[in-house]
């Protein structure tokens, strides 16, 4: 059992992380903007605040042993092409704050959600899709994911970036697949519940340290 700090725990992937971490017997603390509105499982400690504030992260991180971040940029709707409403580089700034606090607290392990095409995987994106990204609302999210990737690679902590393919809300379908980019042809989808399972498995078993695997569980 570990004492975990969860960031982004009220999001569509993060709520699965909270539930599965609690089910597995971890002590769980989540930093959330509105604890009264959070649908967290029993036993999860909710700390009011935002990862945009380093002082809020300091308050939430005290006594914890590892971090899972399911943060993502908010959009005007669930449509992936919708206008972003989060501050520019929200995830990058939150990750910078988190890394600073982790160093202060002596926390050495973090697992984060990312996306296919982030960081060094950008070179593998289809050129047509890449051109579309550059002129669409998705561009802001990719720039933010690139920023997170860069920060982690420059750090000296044990990080894992789970680069999800297209996310769905379908029920869990079994153990997700993971591979380093360029070594296997990934499936096209992963449901959020299975992604949450992967994040916890990776943390518990100390796998994929300082790596950024693609994660998927459906083909076609």
């Amino acid at each position: 059992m570990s004492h975990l700090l969860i960031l982004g725990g009220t999001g569509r992937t993060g709520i699965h992380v909270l539930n599965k971490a609690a089910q597995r017997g971890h002590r769980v603390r989540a930093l959330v903007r509105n604890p009264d509105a959070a649908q967290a499982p029993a036993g999860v400690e909710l700390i009011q605040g935002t990862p945009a504030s380093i002082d809020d992260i300091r308050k939430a991180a005290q006594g914890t042993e590892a971090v899972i971040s399911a943060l993502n940029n908010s959009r005007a709707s669930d449509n992936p092409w919708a206008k972003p409403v989060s501050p520019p580089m929200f995830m990058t700034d939150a990750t910078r704050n988190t890394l600073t606090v982790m160093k202060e607290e002596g926390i050495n392990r973090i697992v984060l959600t990312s996306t296919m095409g982030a960081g060094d995987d950008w070179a593998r994106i289809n050129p047509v899709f890449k051109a579309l990204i550059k002129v669409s609302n998705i561009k802001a999210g990719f720039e933010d994911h690139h920023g997170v990737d860069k920060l982690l690679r420059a750090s000296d902590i044990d990080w894992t970036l789970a680069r999800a393919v297209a996310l769905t809300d379908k029920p869990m379908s079994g153990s997700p697949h993971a591979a380093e980019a360029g070594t296997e042809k990934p499936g096209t989808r992963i449901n959020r519940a299975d992604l949450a399972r992967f994040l916890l498995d990776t943390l518990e078993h100390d796998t994929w340290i300082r790596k950024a695997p693609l994660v998927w569980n459906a083909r076609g």
Side-chain angles (χ1 to χ4, degrees):
M1 182 180 74
S2 300
H3 194 179
L4 306 181
L5 170 60
I6 310 297
L7 303 177
T10 57
R12 289 190 291 171
T13 298
I15 193 62
H16 291 290
V17 177
L18 288 187
N19 284 319
K20 294 185 188 309
Q23 290 167 6
R24 295 187 185 192
H26 294 288
R27 294 175 60 196
V28 182
R29 183 181 295 158
L31 180 65
V32 299
R33 288 182 176 84
N34 186 357
D36 293 334
Q39 298 180 349
V44 171
E45 181 184 2
L46 300 178
I47 303 295
Q48 186 171 17
T50 169
S53 165
I54 193 168
D55 288 333
D56 288 348
I57 296 180
R58 285 188 175 109
K59 178 174 57 177
Q62 290 179 1
T64 60
E65 302 167 84
V67 180
I68 295 180
S69 174
L71 291 172
N72 207 340
N73 288 307
S74 298
R75 299 183 297 268
S77 74
D78 289 341
N79 187 317
W81 302 95
K83 181 180 178 180
V85 296
S86 294
M89 305 304 282
F90 166 73
M91 291 185 295
T92 302
D93 291 341
T95 301
R96 183 182 295 107
N97 289 339
T98 302
L99 293 175
T100 298
V101 173
M102 289 177 66
K103 186 173 183 179
E104 294 171 355
E105 293 289 321
I107 303 168
N108 196 49
R109 187 73 171 108
I110 186 171
V111 179
L112 310 91
T113 57
S114 185
T115 186
M116 184 178 183
D120 60 359
D121 196 39
W122 177 252
R124 300 180 182 89
I125 294 294
N126 179 288
V128 175
F129 187 53
K130 189 182 294 187
L132 182 60
I133 290 171
K134 290 180 178 180
V135 296
S136 72
N137 288 324
I138 294 180
K139 177 182 178 182
F142 269 92
E143 289 177 344
D144 208 354
H145 280 298
H146 294 330
V148 172
D149 189 286
K150 185 176 180 180
L151 281 175
L152 292 171
R153 293 182 186 279
S155 74
D156 58 0
I157 66 162
D158 291 340
W159 55 266
T160 301
L161 275 170
R163 288 178 176 164
V165 295
L167 287 161
T168 77
D169 290 312
K170 293 182 179 181
M172 291 177 67
S173 62
S175 298
H177 304 284
E180 292 193 58
T183 63
E184 290 187 37
K185 183 179 180 179
T188 57
R189 299 183 298 279
I190 183 166
N191 61 63
R192 290 178 172 84
D194 282 336
L195 177 58
R197 174 191 290 186
F198 177 81
L199 299 176
L200 281 161
D201 287 348
T202 298
L203 182 71
E204 291 172 354
H205 301 298
D206 273 340
T207 52
W208 299 105
I209 290 177
R210 298 189 67 81
K211 293 182 179 180
L214 295 173
V215 188
W216 71 95
N217 68 354
R219 294 185 180 275

